[in-house]
Amino acid sequence: MLVTGCLLLASFVGGAYAQSQPWAQCGGAGWTGSTACTAGWVCTYQNDYYSQCLQASSSATSRSSSPSSVSTTSSRSSSTVSSTTSTHSSSSASSSSTATLTGIAGTAPTVGPSQDTGKLPALGWNAWNAYGCGISNDIIYAAASDIVSLGLQAAGYEYVNIDDCWAEMKRDPTTQQIIPDPTKFPNGISGLATQIHALGLKVGIYSDAGTATCAGFPGSLGYENIDAATFTEWGIDYLKYDNCNVPGNWSDTYPPPGNDYYNSNSAIRYRQMTAALAAQSRPVQFSLCIWGAANVWQWGSRVGHSWRMSGDSSASWSYITEILTTNAQYLDYVDFYSHNDMDMMEIGNGDLTIQEQRTHFAAWCFMKSPILLGTDLSKLNSTQLAIVTNPELLAFHQDATIGAPAKPFAPTANGTTTTNPPEFYAGTSTKGTHVFIINTASSTATMGFTFSLVPGLAAGSKYVVHDMWAGKDLGTFSGSYSASIAAHDTAAFLVTPA
């Protein structure tokens, strides 16, 4: 979640004050509140999604314009990451050694994320898209129960994740621990975690790599060790770590010195929590909710298990095509323990057509993004449940032998992969070669591909084409194959030698 999602808080601040208060948000993509600060405070750029009221004397070193490596597109003003040439995430982001680094980068921890979790992209549910700040023990536990009763657990879904607004506004003055809101969680987070674990599921929590969360609750910057130990004590299995309320002294210049994003202030804020989690006895899957900032795809796997590639999702076809366009550029960074996160599912929300919901799910599967359902699960209809539990798409997503996603390819001799987003993708699993076709047009279209142009397939052979959605063979073909695909729908095929 980022600030634009916190409508409740934004409305309160905007209605109560003509100017943004000290340390409050005053700008960013999608921000509709005041862009002016009270006397003595300056609205200071932090990143494309967040500007903050800082004291005039402390904001002099902060930038007032957007970084050149980030641009905004469309009415959503969602971040479009730069077109940096992809190299695999396992390679170092920089050849610098700590001996040559100065300042905080010279002493920042370099420990990596746990290898006891996060090998495969996460499957689960998150509270934010459906409930925002209106969460409670009963709501979270009801979702966990639905995961079991609706067959989602049997399909592989395991995480039940609490988002923002679970805490009180102040830390415990003695222990400095974050205090769960006793009205929302009368048995604490640990009590809820016990309930969720009893169902055979895992539980996730939310915090922020700033002074406060996007909704204004305590952040973990400067309290990483205390919070990591607290989360472990409560039985937490997953941490979503957001990017709001970043103090001016933690802001970055773009590009950073030597283009070394791993040693940027943004990365170091997340690295501090990585080290704190690594010191605990319980492995935690670490999700970097950094909105595609600081070229996170280059260093994300050295710090966490997944990393957001954009701002918040919305239940719209425009969001789906925007994030596909962005993420398609950086699929070389995806592998085991290393996942570009396209944000939470919107299936069941808004006015997406069934075809658009199929594309939403299929693309998250074949790009191997974490899949966290984001709706009131009890309201999913049978068609939507069939989409999110499709066994063949989930098998590709969760393949324990091949970690790479499907990637764009040119389907015919005069074909192209430069459409935005690309429409043809191919990848392999333990079952064979897969082809995925997205019809981005607004009407039904016949779309096809030449077998010999699919990576891994040979010319002059016959192939069995299998429909992954329907779970049935469509026949044996040679040369090429084409299908009629509805507007905004995605076809998913397994192609094997006859």
PDB file of all heavy atoms in Angstrom, residues 144-181:
ATOM      1  N   ALA A 144      -9.333 -16.097   6.742  1.00  0.00           N
ATOM      2  CA  ALA A 144      -8.564 -17.340   6.897  1.00  0.00           C
ATOM      3  C   ALA A 144      -9.478 -18.546   6.804  1.00  0.00           C
ATOM      4  O   ALA A 144      -9.157 -19.552   6.143  1.00  0.00           O
ATOM      5  CB  ALA A 144      -7.822 -17.322   8.229  1.00  0.00           C
ATOM      6  N   SER A 145     -10.631 -18.472   7.440  1.00  0.00           N
ATOM      7  CA  SER A 145     -11.591 -19.577   7.394  1.00  0.00           C
ATOM      8  C   SER A 145     -12.097 -19.800   5.973  1.00  0.00           C
ATOM      9  O   SER A 145     -12.275 -20.947   5.534  1.00  0.00           O
ATOM     10  CB  SER A 145     -12.757 -19.291   8.337  1.00  0.00           C
ATOM     11  OG  SER A 145     -12.315 -19.178   9.677  1.00  0.00           O
ATOM     12  N   ASP A 146     -12.316 -18.698   5.233  1.00  0.00           N
ATOM     13  CA  ASP A 146     -12.761 -18.826   3.843  1.00  0.00           C
ATOM     14  C   ASP A 146     -11.689 -19.477   2.976  1.00  0.00           C
ATOM     15  O   ASP A 146     -12.014 -20.243   2.055  1.00  0.00           O
ATOM     16  CB  ASP A 146     -13.113 -17.451   3.272  1.00  0.00           C
ATOM     17  CG  ASP A 146     -14.421 -16.897   3.816  1.00  0.00           C
ATOM     18  OD1 ASP A 146     -15.267 -17.702   4.267  1.00  0.00           O
ATOM     19  OD2 ASP A 146     -14.596 -15.661   3.798  1.00  0.00           O
ATOM     20  N   ILE A 147     -10.432 -19.178   3.239  1.00  0.00           N
ATOM     21  CA  ILE A 147      -9.352 -19.809   2.474  1.00  0.00           C
ATOM     22  C   ILE A 147      -9.429 -21.329   2.590  1.00  0.00           C
ATOM     23  O   ILE A 147      -9.207 -22.063   1.625  1.00  0.00           O
ATOM     24  CB  ILE A 147      -7.986 -19.269   2.931  1.00  0.00           C
ATOM     25  CG1 ILE A 147      -7.811 -17.823   2.465  1.00  0.00           C
ATOM     26  CG2 ILE A 147      -6.835 -20.134   2.410  1.00  0.00           C
ATOM     27  CD1 ILE A 147      -6.556 -17.150   2.973  1.00  0.00           C
ATOM     28  N   VAL A 148      -9.785 -21.785   3.773  1.00  0.00           N
ATOM     29  CA  VAL A 148      -9.912 -23.227   3.986  1.00  0.00           C
ATOM     30  C   VAL A 148     -11.188 -23.761   3.349  1.00  0.00           C
ATOM     31  O   VAL A 148     -11.169 -24.706   2.552  1.00  0.00           O
ATOM     32  CB  VAL A 148      -9.883 -23.553   5.490  1.00  0.00           C
ATOM     33  CG1 VAL A 148     -10.116 -25.041   5.724  1.00  0.00           C
ATOM     34  CG2 VAL A 148      -8.559 -23.119   6.112  1.00  0.00           C
ATOM     35  N   SER A 149     -12.328 -23.150   3.664  1.00  0.00           N
ATOM     36  CA  SER A 149     -13.622 -23.705   3.251  1.00  0.00           C
ATOM     37  C   SER A 149     -13.878 -23.600   1.752  1.00  0.00           C
ATOM     38  O   SER A 149     -14.614 -24.429   1.191  1.00  0.00           O
ATOM     39  CB  SER A 149     -14.758 -23.012   4.018  1.00  0.00           C
ATOM     40  OG  SER A 149     -14.837 -21.642   3.684  1.00  0.00           O
ATOM     41  N   LEU A 150     -13.298 -22.613   1.090  1.00  0.00           N
ATOM     42  CA  LEU A 150     -13.522 -22.430  -0.343  1.00  0.00           C
ATOM     43  C   LEU A 150     -12.539 -23.227  -1.199  1.00  0.00           C
ATOM     44  O   LEU A 150     -12.576 -23.123  -2.431  1.00  0.00           O
ATOM     45  CB  LEU A 150     -13.422 -20.944  -0.699  1.00  0.00           C
ATOM     46  CG  LEU A 150     -14.493 -20.037  -0.081  1.00  0.00           C
ATOM     47  CD1 LEU A 150     -14.203 -18.570  -0.406  1.00  0.00           C
ATOM     48  CD2 LEU A 150     -15.887 -20.426  -0.572  1.00  0.00           C
ATOM     49  N   GLY A 151     -11.657 -23.973  -0.594  1.00  0.00           N
ATOM     50  CA  GLY A 151     -10.715 -24.785  -1.342  1.00  0.00           C
ATOM     51  C   GLY A 151      -9.461 -24.053  -1.760  1.00  0.00           C
ATOM     52  O   GLY A 151      -8.630 -24.597  -2.503  1.00  0.00           O
ATOM     53  N   LEU A 152      -9.282 -22.823  -1.281  1.00  0.00           N
ATOM     54  CA  LEU A 152      -8.090 -22.059  -1.640  1.00  0.00           C
ATOM     55  C   LEU A 152      -6.835 -22.624  -0.981  1.00  0.00           C
ATOM     56  O   LEU A 152      -5.763 -22.666  -1.598  1.00  0.00           O
ATOM     57  CB  LEU A 152      -8.280 -20.593  -1.251  1.00  0.00           C
ATOM     58  CG  LEU A 152      -9.351 -19.843  -2.055  1.00  0.00           C
ATOM     59  CD1 LEU A 152      -9.764 -18.565  -1.342  1.00  0.00           C
ATOM     60  CD2 LEU A 152      -8.851 -19.535  -3.461  1.00  0.00           C
ATOM     61  N   GLN A 153      -6.970 -23.074   0.253  1.00  0.00           N
ATOM     62  CA  GLN A 153      -5.825 -23.697   0.919  1.00  0.00           C
ATOM     63  C   GLN A 153      -5.389 -24.949   0.166  1.00  0.00           C
ATOM     64  O   GLN A 153      -4.192 -25.161  -0.061  1.00  0.00           O
ATOM     65  CB  GLN A 153      -6.171 -24.038   2.366  1.00  0.00           C
ATOM     66  CG  GLN A 153      -5.015 -24.658   3.147  1.00  0.00           C
ATOM     67  CD  GLN A 153      -5.431 -25.081   4.544  1.00  0.00           C
ATOM     68  OE1 GLN A 153      -6.535 -25.590   4.751  1.00  0.00           O
ATOM     69  NE2 GLN A 153      -4.564 -24.855   5.522  1.00  0.00           N
ATOM     70  N   ALA A 154      -6.349 -25.756  -0.261  1.00  0.00           N
ATOM     71  CA  ALA A 154      -6.033 -26.970  -1.013  1.00  0.00           C
ATOM     72  C   ALA A 154      -5.354 -26.637  -2.337  1.00  0.00           C
ATOM     73  O   ALA A 154      -4.566 -27.434  -2.858  1.00  0.00           O
ATOM     74  CB  ALA A 154      -7.305 -27.779  -1.260  1.00  0.00           C
ATOM     75  N   ALA A 155      -5.643 -25.446  -2.891  1.00  0.00           N
ATOM     76  CA  ALA A 155      -5.024 -25.017  -4.152  1.00  0.00           C
ATOM     77  C   ALA A 155      -3.634 -24.438  -3.955  1.00  0.00           C
ATOM     78  O   ALA A 155      -2.930 -24.189  -4.935  1.00  0.00           O
ATOM     79  CB  ALA A 155      -5.919 -23.992  -4.841  1.00  0.00           C
ATOM     80  N   GLY A 156      -3.229 -24.207  -2.690  1.00  0.00           N
ATOM     81  CA  GLY A 156      -1.884 -23.718  -2.409  1.00  0.00           C
ATOM     82  C   GLY A 156      -1.803 -22.387  -1.699  1.00  0.00           C
ATOM     83  O   GLY A 156      -0.714 -21.959  -1.309  1.00  0.00           O
ATOM     84  N   TYR A 157      -2.933 -21.712  -1.487  1.00  0.00           N
ATOM     85  CA  TYR A 157      -2.904 -20.422  -0.794  1.00  0.00           C
ATOM     86  C   TYR A 157      -2.605 -20.649   0.683  1.00  0.00           C
ATOM     87  O   TYR A 157      -3.220 -21.513   1.320  1.00  0.00           O
ATOM     88  CB  TYR A 157      -4.242 -19.704  -0.963  1.00  0.00           C
ATOM     89  CG  TYR A 157      -4.495 -19.245  -2.377  1.00  0.00           C
ATOM     90  CD1 TYR A 157      -5.015 -20.114  -3.343  1.00  0.00           C
ATOM     91  CD2 TYR A 157      -4.200 -17.946  -2.769  1.00  0.00           C
ATOM     92  CE1 TYR A 157      -5.236 -19.699  -4.643  1.00  0.00           C
ATOM     93  CE2 TYR A 157      -4.418 -17.516  -4.074  1.00  0.00           C
ATOM     94  CZ  TYR A 157      -4.940 -18.399  -5.004  1.00  0.00           C
ATOM     95  OH  TYR A 157      -5.148 -17.991  -6.298  1.00  0.00           O
ATOM     96  N   GLU A 158      -1.680 -19.851   1.238  1.00  0.00           N
ATOM     97  CA  GLU A 158      -1.277 -20.109   2.614  1.00  0.00           C
ATOM     98  C   GLU A 158      -1.134 -18.868   3.491  1.00  0.00           C
ATOM     99  O   GLU A 158      -1.202 -18.973   4.720  1.00  0.00           O
ATOM    100  CB  GLU A 158       0.046 -20.872   2.636  1.00  0.00           C
ATOM    101  CG  GLU A 158       1.217 -20.156   1.975  1.00  0.00           C
ATOM    102  CD  GLU A 158       2.512 -20.945   2.084  1.00  0.00           C
ATOM    103  OE1 GLU A 158       2.597 -21.857   2.932  1.00  0.00           O
ATOM    104  OE2 GLU A 158       3.448 -20.653   1.305  1.00  0.00           O
ATOM    105  N   TYR A 159      -0.941 -17.678   2.910  1.00  0.00           N
ATOM    106  CA  TYR A 159      -0.713 -16.486   3.730  1.00  0.00           C
ATOM    107  C   TYR A 159      -2.001 -15.704   3.956  1.00  0.00           C
ATOM    108  O   TYR A 159      -2.789 -15.493   3.035  1.00  0.00           O
ATOM    109  CB  TYR A 159       0.325 -15.572   3.070  1.00  0.00           C
ATOM    110  CG  TYR A 159       1.725 -16.133   3.125  1.00  0.00           C
ATOM    111  CD1 TYR A 159       2.287 -16.747   2.014  1.00  0.00           C
ATOM    112  CD2 TYR A 159       2.478 -16.068   4.295  1.00  0.00           C
ATOM    113  CE1 TYR A 159       3.575 -17.279   2.065  1.00  0.00           C
ATOM    114  CE2 TYR A 159       3.761 -16.589   4.355  1.00  0.00           C
ATOM    115  CZ  TYR A 159       4.299 -17.195   3.233  1.00  0.00           C
ATOM    116  OH  TYR A 159       5.567 -17.722   3.289  1.00  0.00           O
ATOM    117  N   VAL A 160      -2.186 -15.267   5.203  1.00  0.00           N
ATOM    118  CA  VAL A 160      -3.299 -14.394   5.572  1.00  0.00           C
ATOM    119  C   VAL A 160      -2.656 -13.126   6.130  1.00  0.00           C
ATOM    120  O   VAL A 160      -2.119 -13.130   7.238  1.00  0.00           O
ATOM    121  CB  VAL A 160      -4.205 -15.056   6.632  1.00  0.00           C
ATOM    122  CG1 VAL A 160      -5.389 -14.156   6.948  1.00  0.00           C
ATOM    123  CG2 VAL A 160      -4.666 -16.427   6.164  1.00  0.00           C
ATOM    124  N   ASN A 161      -2.693 -12.051   5.349  1.00  0.00           N
ATOM    125  CA  ASN A 161      -1.860 -10.886   5.646  1.00  0.00           C
ATOM    126  C   ASN A 161      -2.662  -9.673   6.098  1.00  0.00           C
ATOM    127  O   ASN A 161      -3.566  -9.216   5.402  1.00  0.00           O
ATOM    128  CB  ASN A 161      -1.030 -10.517   4.419  1.00  0.00           C
ATOM    129  CG  ASN A 161       0.035 -11.555   4.096  1.00  0.00           C
ATOM    130  OD1 ASN A 161       0.267 -12.486   4.876  1.00  0.00           O
ATOM    131  ND2 ASN A 161       0.682 -11.403   2.964  1.00  0.00           N
ATOM    132  N   ILE A 162      -2.309  -9.166   7.276  1.00  0.00           N
ATOM    133  CA  ILE A 162      -2.850  -7.924   7.803  1.00  0.00           C
ATOM    134  C   ILE A 162      -2.097  -6.779   7.142  1.00  0.00           C
ATOM    135  O   ILE A 162      -0.871  -6.823   7.007  1.00  0.00           O
ATOM    136  CB  ILE A 162      -2.654  -7.863   9.326  1.00  0.00           C
ATOM    137  CG1 ILE A 162      -3.249  -9.106   9.999  1.00  0.00           C
ATOM    138  CG2 ILE A 162      -3.250  -6.595   9.907  1.00  0.00           C
ATOM    139  CD1 ILE A 162      -2.756  -9.325  11.416  1.00  0.00           C
ATOM    140  N   ASP A 163      -2.811  -5.733   6.736  1.00  0.00           N
ATOM    141  CA  ASP A 163      -2.156  -4.568   6.150  1.00  0.00           C
ATOM    142  C   ASP A 163      -2.115  -3.441   7.188  1.00  0.00           C
ATOM    143  O   ASP A 163      -2.077  -3.700   8.400  1.00  0.00           O
ATOM    144  CB  ASP A 163      -2.857  -4.156   4.855  1.00  0.00           C
ATOM    145  CG  ASP A 163      -1.899  -3.526   3.848  1.00  0.00           C
ATOM    146  OD1 ASP A 163      -1.589  -2.329   3.997  1.00  0.00           O
ATOM    147  OD2 ASP A 163      -1.464  -4.227   2.911  1.00  0.00           O
ATOM    148  N   ASP A 164      -2.127  -2.203   6.749  1.00  0.00           N
ATOM    149  CA  ASP A 164      -1.967  -1.039   7.611  1.00  0.00           C
ATOM    150  C   ASP A 164      -3.121  -0.921   8.622  1.00  0.00           C
ATOM    151  O   ASP A 164      -4.150  -1.577   8.493  1.00  0.00           O
ATOM    152  CB  ASP A 164      -1.903   0.219   6.747  1.00  0.00           C
ATOM    153  CG  ASP A 164      -1.152   1.370   7.407  1.00  0.00           C
ATOM    154  OD1 ASP A 164      -0.889   1.312   8.614  1.00  0.00           O
ATOM    155  OD2 ASP A 164      -0.829   2.325   6.680  1.00  0.00           O
ATOM    156  N   CYS A 165      -2.915  -0.070   9.633  1.00  0.00           N
ATOM    157  CA  CYS A 165      -3.957   0.346  10.592  1.00  0.00           C
ATOM    158  C   CYS A 165      -4.242  -0.688  11.685  1.00  0.00           C
ATOM    159  O   CYS A 165      -5.296  -0.639  12.325  1.00  0.00           O
ATOM    160  CB  CYS A 165      -5.269   0.699   9.880  1.00  0.00           C
ATOM    161  SG  CYS A 165      -5.087   1.817   8.478  1.00  0.00           S
ATOM    162  N   TRP A 166      -3.319  -1.592  11.941  1.00  0.00           N
ATOM    163  CA  TRP A 166      -3.549  -2.606  12.969  1.00  0.00           C
ATOM    164  C   TRP A 166      -3.059  -2.161  14.347  1.00  0.00           C
ATOM    165  O   TRP A 166      -3.345  -2.814  15.352  1.00  0.00           O
ATOM    166  CB  TRP A 166      -2.852  -3.921  12.591  1.00  0.00           C
ATOM    167  CG  TRP A 166      -1.366  -3.812  12.359  1.00  0.00           C
ATOM    168  CD1 TRP A 166      -0.742  -3.619  11.177  1.00  0.00           C
ATOM    169  CD2 TRP A 166      -0.322  -3.893  13.343  1.00  0.00           C
ATOM    170  NE1 TRP A 166       0.634  -3.576  11.347  1.00  0.00           N
ATOM    171  CE2 TRP A 166       0.916  -3.742  12.671  1.00  0.00           C
ATOM    172  CE3 TRP A 166      -0.320  -4.083  14.730  1.00  0.00           C
ATOM    173  CZ2 TRP A 166       2.140  -3.772  13.333  1.00  0.00           C
ATOM    174  CZ3 TRP A 166       0.909  -4.108  15.395  1.00  0.00           C
ATOM    175  CH2 TRP A 166       2.112  -3.958  14.695  1.00  0.00           C
ATOM    176  N   ALA A 167      -2.330  -1.044  14.406  1.00  0.00           N
ATOM    177  CA  ALA A 167      -1.638  -0.653  15.639  1.00  0.00           C
ATOM    178  C   ALA A 167      -2.277   0.574  16.287  1.00  0.00           C
ATOM    179  O   ALA A 167      -3.132   1.248  15.706  1.00  0.00           O
ATOM    180  CB  ALA A 167      -0.172  -0.354  15.331  1.00  0.00           C
ATOM    181  N   GLU A 168      -1.840   0.841  17.506  1.00  0.00           N
ATOM    182  CA  GLU A 168      -2.128   2.123  18.124  1.00  0.00           C
ATOM    183  C   GLU A 168      -1.160   3.168  17.577  1.00  0.00           C
ATOM    184  O   GLU A 168      -0.126   2.844  16.987  1.00  0.00           O
ATOM    185  CB  GLU A 168      -2.011   2.027  19.652  1.00  0.00           C
ATOM    186  CG  GLU A 168      -3.091   1.156  20.281  1.00  0.00           C
ATOM    187  CD  GLU A 168      -3.212   1.388  21.775  1.00  0.00           C
ATOM    188  OE1 GLU A 168      -2.176   1.331  22.478  1.00  0.00           O
ATOM    189  OE2 GLU A 168      -4.347   1.623  22.241  1.00  0.00           O
ATOM    190  N   MET A 169      -1.475   4.439  17.795  1.00  0.00           N
ATOM    191  CA  MET A 169      -0.685   5.516  17.209  1.00  0.00           C
ATOM    192  C   MET A 169       0.676   5.725  17.883  1.00  0.00           C
ATOM    193  O   MET A 169       1.565   6.317  17.299  1.00  0.00           O
ATOM    194  CB  MET A 169      -1.477   6.828  17.245  1.00  0.00           C
ATOM    195  CG  MET A 169      -2.548   6.917  16.178  1.00  0.00           C
ATOM    196  SD  MET A 169      -1.799   7.005  14.525  1.00  0.00           S
ATOM    197  CE  MET A 169      -3.265   7.210  13.509  1.00  0.00           C
ATOM    198  N   LYS A 170       0.832   5.243  19.101  1.00  0.00           N
ATOM    199  CA  LYS A 170       2.089   5.438  19.822  1.00  0.00           C
ATOM    200  C   LYS A 170       2.668   4.104  20.245  1.00  0.00           C
ATOM    201  O   LYS A 170       1.933   3.166  20.587  1.00  0.00           O
ATOM    202  CB  LYS A 170       1.868   6.312  21.063  1.00  0.00           C
ATOM    203  CG  LYS A 170       1.321   7.713  20.774  1.00  0.00           C
ATOM    204  CD  LYS A 170       2.346   8.578  20.050  1.00  0.00           C
ATOM    205  CE  LYS A 170       1.818   9.997  19.870  1.00  0.00           C
ATOM    206  NZ  LYS A 170       2.797  10.846  19.140  1.00  0.00           N
ATOM    207  N   ARG A 171       3.983   4.033  20.261  1.00  0.00           N
ATOM    208  CA  ARG A 171       4.656   2.853  20.770  1.00  0.00           C
ATOM    209  C   ARG A 171       4.558   2.789  22.289  1.00  0.00           C
ATOM    210  O   ARG A 171       4.289   3.805  22.951  1.00  0.00           O
ATOM    211  CB  ARG A 171       6.135   2.869  20.364  1.00  0.00           C
ATOM    212  CG  ARG A 171       6.376   2.646  18.884  1.00  0.00           C
ATOM    213  CD  ARG A 171       7.849   2.772  18.520  1.00  0.00           C
ATOM    214  NE  ARG A 171       8.054   2.431  17.111  1.00  0.00           N
ATOM    215  CZ  ARG A 171       8.344   1.221  16.655  1.00  0.00           C
ATOM    216  NH1 ARG A 171       8.500   0.224  17.519  1.00  0.00           N
ATOM    217  NH2 ARG A 171       8.499   1.010  15.368  1.00  0.00           N
ATOM    218  N   ASP A 172       4.809   1.603  22.835  1.00  0.00           N
ATOM    219  CA  ASP A 172       4.870   1.445  24.284  1.00  0.00           C
ATOM    220  C   ASP A 172       6.036   2.300  24.799  1.00  0.00           C
ATOM    221  O   ASP A 172       7.170   2.153  24.340  1.00  0.00           O
ATOM    222  CB  ASP A 172       5.099  -0.030  24.635  1.00  0.00           C
ATOM    223  CG  ASP A 172       5.082  -0.286  26.116  1.00  0.00           C
ATOM    224  OD1 ASP A 172       6.001   0.193  26.815  1.00  0.00           O
ATOM    225  OD2 ASP A 172       4.167  -0.978  26.590  1.00  0.00           O
ATOM    226  N   PRO A 173       5.780   3.211  25.746  1.00  0.00           N
ATOM    227  CA  PRO A 173       6.842   4.121  26.187  1.00  0.00           C
ATOM    228  C   PRO A 173       7.992   3.423  26.890  1.00  0.00           C
ATOM    229  O   PRO A 173       9.095   3.972  26.974  1.00  0.00           O
ATOM    230  CB  PRO A 173       6.113   5.078  27.136  1.00  0.00           C
ATOM    231  CG  PRO A 173       4.916   4.316  27.600  1.00  0.00           C
ATOM    232  CD  PRO A 173       4.509   3.453  26.455  1.00  0.00           C
ATOM    233  N   THR A 174       7.767   2.223  27.399  1.00  0.00           N
ATOM    234  CA  THR A 174       8.821   1.497  28.106  1.00  0.00           C
ATOM    235  C   THR A 174       9.588   0.564  27.181  1.00  0.00           C
ATOM    236  O   THR A 174      10.810   0.617  27.085  1.00  0.00           O
ATOM    237  CB  THR A 174       8.219   0.698  29.275  1.00  0.00           C
ATOM    238  OG1 THR A 174       7.544   1.584  30.155  1.00  0.00           O
ATOM    239  CG2 THR A 174       9.317  -0.051  30.030  1.00  0.00           C
ATOM    240  N   THR A 175       8.862  -0.304  26.466  1.00  0.00           N
ATOM    241  CA  THR A 175       9.510  -1.304  25.613  1.00  0.00           C
ATOM    242  C   THR A 175       9.792  -0.789  24.205  1.00  0.00           C
ATOM    243  O   THR A 175      10.588  -1.378  23.481  1.00  0.00           O
ATOM    244  CB  THR A 175       8.633  -2.556  25.502  1.00  0.00           C
ATOM    245  OG1 THR A 175       7.426  -2.214  24.789  1.00  0.00           O
ATOM    246  CG2 THR A 175       8.289  -3.107  26.875  1.00  0.00           C
ATOM    247  N   GLN A 176       9.109   0.290  23.809  1.00  0.00           N
ATOM    248  CA  GLN A 176       9.180   0.843  22.450  1.00  0.00           C
ATOM    249  C   GLN A 176       8.592  -0.105  21.405  1.00  0.00           C
ATOM    250  O   GLN A 176       8.777   0.097  20.198  1.00  0.00           O
ATOM    251  CB  GLN A 176      10.621   1.221  22.080  1.00  0.00           C
ATOM    252  CG  GLN A 176      11.199   2.350  22.926  1.00  0.00           C
ATOM    253  CD  GLN A 176      10.361   3.626  22.837  1.00  0.00           C
ATOM    254  OE1 GLN A 176      10.080   4.119  21.758  1.00  0.00           O
ATOM    255  NE2 GLN A 176       9.948   4.137  23.994  1.00  0.00           N
ATOM    256  N   GLN A 177       7.881  -1.123  21.830  1.00  0.00           N
ATOM    257  CA  GLN A 177       7.215  -2.007  20.884  1.00  0.00           C
ATOM    258  C   GLN A 177       5.969  -1.344  20.309  1.00  0.00           C
ATOM    259  O   GLN A 177       5.331  -0.508  20.966  1.00  0.00           O
ATOM    260  CB  GLN A 177       6.814  -3.319  21.567  1.00  0.00           C
ATOM    261  CG  GLN A 177       7.982  -4.206  21.948  1.00  0.00           C
ATOM    262  CD  GLN A 177       7.506  -5.486  22.629  1.00  0.00           C
ATOM    263  OE1 GLN A 177       6.642  -5.460  23.496  1.00  0.00           O
ATOM    264  NE2 GLN A 177       8.074  -6.605  22.228  1.00  0.00           N
ATOM    265  N   ILE A 178       5.608  -1.735  19.088  1.00  0.00           N
ATOM    266  CA  ILE A 178       4.333  -1.307  18.518  1.00  0.00           C
ATOM    267  C   ILE A 178       3.219  -2.063  19.245  1.00  0.00           C
ATOM    268  O   ILE A 178       3.330  -3.260  19.506  1.00  0.00           O
ATOM    269  CB  ILE A 178       4.278  -1.590  17.010  1.00  0.00           C
ATOM    270  CG1 ILE A 178       5.437  -0.897  16.292  1.00  0.00           C
ATOM    271  CG2 ILE A 178       2.955  -1.129  16.428  1.00  0.00           C
ATOM    272  CD1 ILE A 178       5.490  -1.189  14.798  1.00  0.00           C
ATOM    273  N   ILE A 179       2.143  -1.351  19.561  1.00  0.00           N
ATOM    274  CA  ILE A 179       1.045  -1.935  20.331  1.00  0.00           C
ATOM    275  C   ILE A 179      -0.130  -2.215  19.407  1.00  0.00           C
ATOM    276  O   ILE A 179      -0.650  -1.303  18.754  1.00  0.00           O
ATOM    277  CB  ILE A 179       0.593  -0.978  21.448  1.00  0.00           C
ATOM    278  CG1 ILE A 179       1.782  -0.552  22.314  1.00  0.00           C
ATOM    279  CG2 ILE A 179      -0.501  -1.621  22.294  1.00  0.00           C
ATOM    280  CD1 ILE A 179       1.450   0.575  23.262  1.00  0.00           C
ATOM    281  N   PRO A 180      -0.608  -3.449  19.315  1.00  0.00           N
ATOM    282  CA  PRO A 180      -1.801  -3.723  18.525  1.00  0.00           C
ATOM    283  C   PRO A 180      -3.014  -2.985  19.086  1.00  0.00           C
ATOM    284  O   PRO A 180      -3.150  -2.838  20.301  1.00  0.00           O
ATOM    285  CB  PRO A 180      -1.973  -5.239  18.653  1.00  0.00           C
ATOM    286  CG  PRO A 180      -0.617  -5.753  19.024  1.00  0.00           C
ATOM    287  CD  PRO A 180      -0.005  -4.678  19.867  1.00  0.00           C
ATOM    288  N   ASP A 181      -3.877  -2.500  18.220  1.00  0.00           N
ATOM    289  CA  ASP A 181      -5.100  -1.822  18.645  1.00  0.00           C
ATOM    290  C   ASP A 181      -5.971  -2.816  19.408  1.00  0.00           C
ATOM    291  O   ASP A 181      -6.443  -3.813  18.834  1.00  0.00           O
ATOM    292  CB  ASP A 181      -5.842  -1.314  17.403  1.00  0.00           C
ATOM    293  CG  ASP A 181      -7.074  -0.496  17.738  1.00  0.00           C
ATOM    294  OD1 ASP A 181      -7.749  -0.810  18.743  1.00  0.00           O
ATOM    295  OD2 ASP A 181      -7.387   0.443  16.977  1.00  0.00           O
TER     296      ASP A 181
END
